[in-house]
Amino acid sequence: MKEQEELLFQEGNKSFDFKALIPKIIRIWPFIILSVILFAGAGYLWTKMTIPLYRVSGLFFVKEKESALALFDSPSILDNGNIGLLNEIIIIKSKPIAEATLNQLDFTVEYFEKGRFINNEIYKNIPILVEVDWKSPQVINGLLKISWNNSKNYSVAFIDDDYLKFLPDGNLTRLELIPEAQEFKFDEQVKTNNFTFKVSKTNVEESGEILIRLRDLSSLVWEYSNNLQIQKVDRNASILNLSLLTSNPVKGEVYINKLMETYLNLELSEKNEIAASTINFIDSQVAGVADSLRFFEGQLETFRSTNKIYDLENESSVVYEQLMQYETQLNQEEFKRTFYQKLQQYLVQENYRDLVVPAGLGIDDPILNTLITNLLALQTDKSRLLATNTEESPAVKEANRKMANLNSSIREALSNVDANSAFLIQDLKRRIANIDESFRSLPQTEQNLIRIRRQFDLNENIYTYLMQRRAESAITKASNTANNKIIEPATSLGKVSPQDFRNYILSAFLGFCFPIVIVFGRELTRTKIEDVKFLENRLKIPVLSTILFNKSKSNLVVLDHGKSGIAEGFRSLRANIKFILPKDEQITLMVTSTVSGEGKTFCSMNLASVYSLTGKKTILVGCDMRKPKIFEDFNLKNDKGLSTLLSQQESDWRSIVKNSGYENLDILVSGPTPPNPAELLFTDLFANLMQELKNEYDVIILDTPPVGLVSETLDLLAFVDLTIFVFRQNFSHRSFVEALNGLKNKNGIKNIYSIFNGVDGKKVTYGYGYTYGYGYGYYDDDKK
């Protein structure tokens, strides 16, 4: 038996007892059902009052660029294909691209249908069309209600409490005074201090209403550029997934599709810049040639008509053809030198936008063509970088450095080709001068004819050459296509939020958990002992019995209500004590607690009563001389008692022991409160008294002061066989358990046990533990 007791002393489960929560949770099932209903209703309202968002997605292919700079520079940040793709993603998300897209869409007016919980945005099939003049002040970011009862007039009402006013210079001010509703006519432009627009009716309904909201372009650009999400479809692929969360899926599809088209058009316009520059340069040269050609054509016709000469002789024809060949070459070289000089000016001014690739003009210089092509490609990359970076960013600085190097290389190459061209021009002019000498032997008429025809043919050749190059550039421009392309147009992937079913389930689950969490929180923050299971898990001494809460007016429950559940609890306590102290010919018990009010005296009186009913001669000694109570319940006087005996005011203890009025039960009351109760219990008189009482009585029960308030109680342990410590439900603090555990461990007290007093009979679960099993209503006295 002692081994089992020591084993109980060592057990002390500190973990939270979740099983003890189950009965408490079951008891609040009506509140759980009510909470589930309330939370589910709140979830339904929240779902219906939340603006739905849909995901719209499209696939876009971005071709990774092959760097043309590897021949002239080491690979750098600009040559990294992955970073190039990241740059394209940033450019697609940039605000300039978003602005160019929104400029092509009419998103500045948002239309809404009034719903039961929220206003639903509509994009197409709108009953009216609002055309806004953004060059005038407009109210934005607030709803306007437009209603009509006929096909001629409509009214505009301000229904929100807060509006902003957009000014033509781009500034925003708050609308201080909300105007009253006003009436206007359809199809007429309306101009007020707050808005300027024209409303046109687009359906046949006689009456109706719609809500509109005006949005300025800058706020739309910020919204769409920030909400656009771009992700790579695959780690090793350059196909991008463009997605957008929007409240109107049709509107989202239109925006993403137009965004991809705008990006392709901008890319194509960049590719066409070279061909356009070539065409513009040729047009600037061909204008003068065309005028000269018309002039000499007229002179040739006039001369032939006047002199009746329509052809040259064979001898002069050979010389003429050779001369025309030299002069054609001369004009082409002079045209090239003009291009070289123009190109030199552009490079000095760093005007790369107007650069023309020599190959487009028929100049076959591979080095010069490659250098200029690379410079134009780098200029395009820089322009794209500036869409999302500043001039001080590392990427732009790297591009400027490479462009400066290419500029220097091109100017050096130009010096060489220009020198070669100048030498060739001098040689051609010398050959032409030699041929001119042979024409002097011809008749004057033929000389004049040859001179006129020579100028005509020369201008015609140049004109034909230039027009041929222009046609080639125009064909190149027309045949240019974007490297990137739309793989999959934008489509709606369905509603993302709110997810109705998930919200309903989650709300119901939260409603179910909310009362349980409250119960759990109360348990975590509870400072009082509520359940015997807590004692069994935390207390390092056994719990002998559970005593139900006394609802009767009498504290002598065992004597006055012997068939009650409380009386049975004390009988159970008596039986358990018999197992602990089997040789009970004479036993001495001490009943104590931590603080006053835990039912220590109540338990002492009824424990003494239950022993007296078995025929054992029992005495109840009131050792609590500070707050004596026993005498009141037994209707006795407290004029003489333990205090008078120990203070030697009385010499014979038998003379002050009082009969309780019940068989086999005597009472030794505490007596008047002395000035030194602790010292009295230390005297030899008390030790002698205890020895004499043990010789006289079978059961001695000491009602002692609380151990947490006074010190003398611990000194009484030497006189007793067993100590009973009382805890009271919803009164004793949980810290008392640890205090008692510390008292046992520190002082090595043995034969100390506990009882759980004042338990609510309605919350007792039948069959729970070895101390539960009975509740109110089981015994006759409880039924009464």
Side-chain angles (χ1 to χ4, degrees), residues 39 72 182 202 226 306 322 443 514 559 574 615 629 665 782:
F39 271 78
F72 304 97
Q182 294 176 278
T202 59
N226 283 278
T306 304
Q322 189 176 12
F514 182 70
L559 298 174
R574 183 187 63 193
K629 292 181 180 179
L665 179 58
D782 292 334

Side-chain angles (χ1 to χ4, degrees), residues 622-637:
C623 296
D624 189 356
M625 291 178 283
R626 289 182 173 84
K627 295 179 67 176
K629 292 181 180 179
I630 297 175
F631 67 94
E632 295 176 350
D633 293 290
F634 285 97
N635 296 319
L636 301 175
K637 292 183 178 180

